[in-house]
Amino acid sequence: MKIAIRIKVLLMTIIGFLVFGCTIEDGKDLNGPETASISEGVSRPELPQVVSGILADMRDRLNTQIDVISVVGRDYWRHQSSDPRWTGDLMTGVLDDNAFYLTTPYAARYAVVKECNLLLEGLENTTTDFSEAEKGAIRGFANTIKAHELLTVLNMLYQNGIRTDVADPDNLGSFEGYDAALTSILGLLNSAATDLATGGDVSPNTLGVSYLEFNRALTARVAAYQGNYSLVLSALDDSFMDFGGDMYLGAYYQFAAAGSDELNQLFFAKNSTGANARIAHPDFVNSAEAGDNRLDKAVLRTDGPLNIADLTPGTHDVYIYESNTDPVAMIRNEELILLYAEANMTDNPGEAEMAINVVRNAAGLGPVVPGSVDEDRLLYERRYSLFAEGHRWIDLRRFDRLDELVVDRAGDNRVTQFPIPQNEGQ
């Protein structure tokens, strides 16, 4: 459903591409009456439309965002005959600070942050008789989504940092370094969790889990990035983690073919041509343990290998999504179980081993040798469990192991972080 706020965000995103400077505008020239009415005081009838709009806009440039991180993390090669930068810049490591692979996901994520800020502003200005619990639900939703979007940008820019305070476009907060930004994001999540615990879910919720469960799952991810494993474990206690549950239980972006809704652009049919393809990195295929059914995410090309950009001929297509309406995970049970294993690996190795074996059993593999769960084991399981979901590059970087990424051609290099966009004023 493309409602008024959706149109506004598209306009803001276009403006962002042209005159960035984090000018995710306050929108005096862009905002129509509908948007102005939201910031001046959100009403009860407007609320579900605003929430739906935010959830819809989280999908903007999702395919570019995941492709970029998957290419630099050597999950797969992305080939598009009309744009050589997929096999050029992103693999040579010579990054353009004004290229689509940076500016479009950056703009899209901050556009959603802006929507959340408009909703929060509208909540403060409202004359609607929302109860305190309802206000808590709205604040909790908005701040949880803000935290998610900011974390996505931070994962790309890493030590270059991000702005976490963009509520006032005339007085933007300064760039915060990686550690400080993680702390700010965690603060948003913790504040939102308190509100959600009081207020419950704001409607609608299309994620597949409650907003509080999503919040706590995301908190566990952030805490792992900080190395705060006691917080990982306490957050997981309040999440949707389930050792006996489906590995794919979780929070998802939803897609549909109906009307003017959005399709999942991460779907490509098998045997994609050189015009537009995602080819599983040969090292992913060749390094898999025998019998690991997670390798099914890379499907043998029955039309033969694909030759692209002087790379080794690609033999396997990435095939995680079977249609262009399949949902895409934001965070799911398999990751949470692996976060549990990571958090217990040093102080409670028996629990770590139990969790690893839960994941391996789901993958059709036998248990690990007792006492063998270590960083190598963890990274192997995360690589195959979370293939092409945007984790491997981040994982190797946070464990200081980026030098393990394969260099495919002479002149290729490994990317550590993306630059601040060229027109982003500091």
Side-chain angles (χ1 to χ4, degrees):
M1 178 174 59
K2 306 299 183 188
I3 59 175
I5 197 164
R6 168 71 172 156
I7 296 169
K8 176 267 302 177
V9 169
L10 285 174
L11 288 172
M12 288 197 300
T13 303
I14 292 168
I15 293 295
F17 300 157
L18 299 176
V19 287
F20 222 76
C22 210
T23 52
I24 303 169
E25 305 279 340
D26 66 346
K28 293 177 182 176
D29 296 327
L30 298 177
N31 296 349
E34 299 89 347
T35 303
S37 71
I38 291 165
S39 60
E40 291 169 6
V42 66
S43 69
R44 194 175 295 277
E46 287 174 323
L47 179 61
Q49 293 188 346
V50 177
V51 171
S52 293
I54 289 171
L55 293 173
D57 291 328
M58 289 176 74
R59 305 171 302 178
D60 283 348
R61 305 294 178 171
L62 178 64
N63 58 314
T64 303
Q65 172 185 309
I66 292 179
D67 278 343
V68 165
I69 294 177
S70 297
V71 169
V72 297
R74 305 301 198 267
D75 269 343
Y76 57 78
W77 297 324
R78 175 73 169 89
H79 184 65
Q80 186 175 3
S81 57
S82 62
D83 200 322
R85 288 173 289 184
W86 288 111
T87 51
D89 300 24
L90 294 171
M91 295 180 67
T92 64
V94 181
L95 301 179
D96 182 344
D97 62 5
N98 198 35
F100 78 94
Y101 50 72
L102 168 63
T103 60
T104 57
Y106 187 98
R109 301 290 67 79
Y110 270 112
V112 175
V113 171
K114 179 60 180 177
E115 283 185 274
C116 292
N117 283 333
L118 285 171
L119 174 55
L120 291 168
E121 184 180 352
L123 182 62
E124 289 204 7
N125 293 332
T126 191
T127 57
T128 299
D129 60 342
F130 290 118
S131 68
E132 288 306 309
E134 288 176 313
K135 290 179 180 179
I138 296 166
R139 281 194 306 269
F141 163 79
N143 283 323
T144 296
I145 301 302
K146 275 177 63 175
H148 179 271
E149 301 297 275
L150 290 169
L151 182 63
T152 298
V153 181
L154 182 61
N155 279 336
M156 289 187 70
L157 271 63
Y158 191 43
Q159 297 294 351
N160 284 323
I162 63 170
R163 299 184 198 272
T164 62
D165 180 6
V166 293
D168 181 356
D170 297 321
N171 186 28
L172 296 171
S174 60
F175 273 78
E176 295 180 350
Y178 179 73
D179 291 339
L182 279 180
T183 299
S184 295
I185 289 167
L186 187 60
L188 279 174
L189 287 168
N190 286 334
S191 172
T194 299
D195 282 329
L196 290 169
T198 300
D201 272 8
V202 66
S203 183
N205 178 357
T206 59
L207 297 186
V209 296
S210 75
Y211 289 127
L212 179 57
E213 289 172 322
F214 172 57
N215 174 293
R216 294 291 85 188
L218 193 59
T219 299
R221 181 189 285 173
V222 173
Y225 291 174
Q226 292 180 314
N228 184 349
Y229 290 128
S230 61
L231 179 55
V232 171
L233 294 174
S234 65
L236 289 174
D237 281 342
D238 296 322
S239 73
F240 55 85
M241 183 182 70
D242 182 357
F243 293 116
D246 192 310
M247 293 295 106
Y248 284 86
L249 169 69
Y252 284 80
Y253 304 95
Q254 303 293 338
F255 300 88
S260 56
D261 211 318
E262 191 162 335
L263 296 174
N264 176 359
Q265 296 181 57
L266 288 165
F267 166 76
F268 281 163
K270 296 175 184 177
N271 295 303
S272 300
T273 69
N276 230 359
R278 294 182 179 93
I279 301 296
H281 197 285
D283 189 62
F284 174 79
V285 176
N286 298 332
S287 297
E289 188 175 337
D292 192 334
N293 65 28
R294 292 169 293 188
L295 190 57
D296 292 346
K297 300 170 187 178
V299 176
L300 183 68
R301 293 176 56 84
T302 56
D303 285 358
L306 185 64
N307 294 290
I308 52 175
D310 298 321
L311 294 163
T312 302
T315 58
H316 288 69
D317 288 322
V318 175
Y319 199 67
I320 295 176
Y321 311 104
E322 297 183 1
S323 79
N324 59 12
T325 57
D326 278 3
V328 174
M330 298 180 195
I331 190 166
R332 57 187 179 85
N333 193 34
E334 194 164 8
E335 180 186 349
L336 300 190
I337 294 171
L338 288 168
L339 287 173
Y340 182 88
E342 179 180 336
N344 280 292
M345 198 164 56
T346 299
D347 294 336
N348 198 348
E351 282 296 293
E353 187 175 308
M354 177 277 296
I356 290 289
N357 285 335
V358 167
V359 170
R360 287 177 61 82
N361 180 66
L365 297 171
V368 296
V369 174
S372 67
V373 172
D374 57 11
E375 193 175 288
D376 287 342
R377 170 55 58 192
L378 176 72
L379 288 173
Y380 172 85
E381 304 300 343
R382 286 185 62 89
R383 180 183 192 183
Y384 284 87
S385 287
L386 307 176
F387 172 69
E389 295 181 36
H391 292 275
R392 180 156 173 78
W393 179 58
I394 297 163
D395 285 342
L396 290 178
R397 185 177 64 192
R398 67 192 179 94
F399 284 103
D400 196 24
R401 295 173 65 156
L402 277 177
D403 60 352
E404 295 179 14
L405 288 176
V406 176
V407 174
D408 296 291
R409 304 164 300 190
D412 282 357
N413 289 287
R414 304 174 182 95
V415 171
T416 300
Q417 61 192 12
F418 283 79
I420 294 171
Q422 182 184 109
N423 294 324
E424 175 66 67
Q426 295 202 50

